[in-house]
Amino acid sequence: WMRPKSATTVMIALVLTCILAALLSLRYLNYSLSLATGEIRVETKYIEALGYEYQPQPKDKESWLPKLISYGKSSWNKTELASFSDESRKILKNDNKLAPQTLDPDSDSLLILTPLKNNANHLTKYFELIDKLKYPRHKISFAFLVSDSSDNTLQQLVDAKKKYQEQGPKELRFKRFEIYRQDFFYSLPRLERHLYRNQLDRRSLMARARNYLWTRALENEQWVLWIDGDLEDYPPNIINDMMAFDKDVLVPNCLVSRRVSGNKWGYGVYDFNSWQETPESIEMLKDLKEDDFLMERGEDSPFVTHRKYLDDFDKSETIVPLDGVGGTFALVKSHVHRSGVGFPAWLYQHQVETEGFAKLAKAHGFGVFGLPNYNVRHISN
């Protein structure tokens, strides 16, 4: 009587094996189809980004990196929970227990960063423009770095802090107002600032200053805005407008307050550091030596870069992907910096400082974009 039972057991085992093989084949087929369509969902035993599907990194898209979730969220709907693995649910449940005791990102908060050197003559205008901004003051923090200054820049900042944070009405105060000082003991005659032979040292030092500032000042803000200390004009609603594009790195077109006939704006272009690589520039890069430094429109530069500047785009183009950016007015999601993307003080893909920052951000998978028809205006040097 054992043989029939044994045969039945073997038959059941074979059936189960066939079912398992079919399921595995179906899963493989679905995975293969997902690869073909680009819809990839990778489940691992490690912590994955909750609710995010990884995709191949596109060159002309915004960040493909995982987006942070709000751990302070008390409830998730069934659709959201369905995309989480069991381990992810355990992590989320554990985090929610302690959420009130931890520091979450301050929603829509903005940290404005401005490095300064001998800027006393322009600070009055700087704060006039800040006062016109249509953005909640309690969401704005400031951090200034004063370096190698021999004028009254530092004292004016101290006076401004007293005016805004102590003497003014509480409803008009900013979230934070911090002043840092770090001297590098570097100086150049003003007329030599933009000569190619001086740019690598000068821009490398500027990168060090920017890195010092953001690493000291960034707390739980969600956005970082780099602003030059000597801008002449920008729209009061510019922060809201730029945030609405929801890009990792975004810059407007920076003009100079010098009238130019024949230009589509009536003003000259100030910032040529915001550009897009072209087929010609990519070919040029292939012939460079490892230590060759590129500078846009340098008076004594040995290189012609063949790049397309932000101002060269057509008026019909609202937003365009970039490979280099300037720092006169640059909006950056704070997680870009927190991911380790700073301003190279060494040559990175033949660039330093802000252009090097753009190259490094793209290498990390972040999106870098420009607004060719949204203008800010820099003073005329």
Side-chain angles (χ1 to χ4, degrees):
W1 57 275
M2 289 291 293
R3 289 187 63 184
K5 186 173 183 180
S6 178
T8 301
T9 302
V10 171
M11 183 62 69
I12 293 174
L14 286 174
V15 171
L16 291 176
T17 302
C18 291
I19 293 174
L20 179 60
L23 289 174
L24 289 174
S25 298
L26 182 59
R27 180 176 178 84
Y28 177 79
L29 177 61
N30 288 337
Y31 181 72
S32 300
L33 289 173
S34 295
L35 286 176
T37 60
E39 298 176 358
I40 303 172
R41 174 66 177 176
V42 181
E43 293 283 347
T44 73
K45 65 179 181 179
Y46 303 104
I47 303 171
E48 77 269 26
L50 302 183
Y52 185 85
E53 293 186 358
Y54 283 88
Q55 295 179 354
Q57 175 185 355
K59 291 184 178 180
D60 59 346
K61 302 291 184 181
E62 59 182 311
S63 174
W64 62 276
L65 292 178
K67 294 183 179 180
L68 297 177
I69 67 163
S70 174
Y71 289 108
K73 187 172 180 179
S74 58
S75 62
W76 301 83
N77 61 44
K78 292 182 179 180
T79 303
E80 291 171 321
L81 287 174
S83 65
F84 299 163
S85 67
D86 291 338
E87 184 175 357
S88 297
R89 293 191 189 94
K90 291 178 183 178
I91 295 169
L92 189 61
K93 183 178 180 181
N94 185 61
D95 287 335
N96 278 337
K97 292 179 182 178
L98 300 176
Q101 309 302 322
T102 57
L103 184 63
D104 285 332
D106 185 3
S107 176
D108 298 323
S109 55
L110 174 72
L111 174 62
I112 297 178
L113 298 176
T114 302
L116 297 170
K117 176 181 178 179
N118 291 333
N119 209 72
N121 292 336
H122 307 297
L123 283 177
T124 299
K125 185 64 176 180
Y126 179 94
F127 286 110
E128 283 181 5
L129 293 172
I130 292 295
D131 285 337
K132 294 178 182 179
L133 283 175
K134 295 180 180 179
Y135 201 78
R137 290 203 170 207
H138 69 282
K139 291 290 186 180
I140 299 178
S141 295
F142 284 97
F144 300 91
L145 177 66
V146 181
S147 303
D148 298 341
S149 286
S150 56
D151 68 357
N152 204 32
T153 297
L154 190 58
Q155 183 59 55
Q156 285 194 29
L157 286 178
V158 172
D159 293 342
K161 182 175 182 178
K162 290 180 180 178
K163 170 189 172 183
Y164 285 108
Q165 303 301 93
E166 299 175 15
Q167 300 170 352
K170 289 185 178 181
E171 61 270 17
L172 295 181
R173 294 178 185 178
F174 299 104
K175 181 181 176 182
R176 288 190 292 131
F177 192 118
E178 298 178 349
I179 306 168
Y180 301 98
R181 181 174 56 82
Q182 175 63 49
D183 294 320
F184 299 96
F185 303 101
Y186 179 85
S187 62
L188 274 176
R190 192 164 187 84
L191 294 178
E192 296 185 14
R193 286 177 57 192
H194 297 289
L195 293 179
Y196 175 83
R197 65 175 181 268
N198 297 326
Q199 283 303 294
L200 182 55
D201 288 342
R202 174 177 173 267
R203 298 291 303 281
S204 295
L205 185 139
M206 292 170 65
R208 291 172 57 195
R210 289 184 185 275
N211 289 332
Y212 182 96
L213 181 54
W214 79 260
T215 54
R216 287 290 303 273
L218 182 58
E219 291 187 358
N220 67 329
E221 292 84 9
Q222 286 192 321
W223 299 86
V224 172
L225 177 61
W226 293 92
I227 303 183
D228 269 10
D230 47 2
L231 291 180
E232 182 183 77
D233 192 30
Y234 51 78
N237 205 48
I238 188 169
I239 295 176
N240 308 70
D241 291 341
M242 292 181 68
M243 283 183 178
F245 286 98
D246 195 30
K247 300 299 184 184
D248 296 316
V249 181
L250 185 63
V251 296
N253 188 12
C254 185
L255 307 178
V256 64
S257 60
R258 181 178 63 250
R259 289 289 182 177
V260 176
S261 60
N263 182 280
K264 58 185 175 182
W265 308 113
Y267 291 96
V269 178
Y270 179 82
D271 199 343
F272 288 100
N273 295 332
S274 297
W275 40 260
Q276 186 184 89
E277 298 285 14
T278 65
E280 294 80 10
S281 70
I282 293 173
E283 284 299 314
M284 178 270 303
L285 291 173
K286 295 177 181 178
D287 297 328
L288 295 179
K289 298 177 183 178
E290 185 177 354
D291 59 350
D292 283 337
F293 166 62
L294 294 179
M295 172 189 175
E296 302 306 314
R297 300 203 174 193
E299 296 177 13
D300 55 342
S301 173
F303 304 105
V304 178
T305 62
H306 303 288
R307 284 157 170 167
K308 186 174 184 178
Y309 301 115
L310 185 57
D311 193 63
D312 293 336
F313 288 89
D314 190 82
K315 278 198 171 185
S316 64
E317 298 180 271
T318 303
I319 184 167
V320 296
L322 296 178
D323 298 289
V325 296
T328 54
F329 201 103
L331 184 66
V332 181
K333 287 186 178 181
S334 58
H335 69 251
V336 175
H337 285 315
R338 290 193 183 99
S339 295
V341 181
F343 299 88
W346 65 95
L347 280 177
Y348 179 74
Q349 297 183 14
H350 308 289
Q351 310 290 164
V352 293
E353 209 222 347
T354 56
E355 299 101 309
F357 165 77
K359 291 276 189 177
L360 194 58
K362 296 193 72 170
H364 278 68
F366 293 112
V368 179
F369 293 84
L371 304 174
N373 298 299
Y374 198 112
N375 301 330
V376 302
R377 201 160 65 242
H378 196 281
I379 67 164
S380 179
N381 292 328

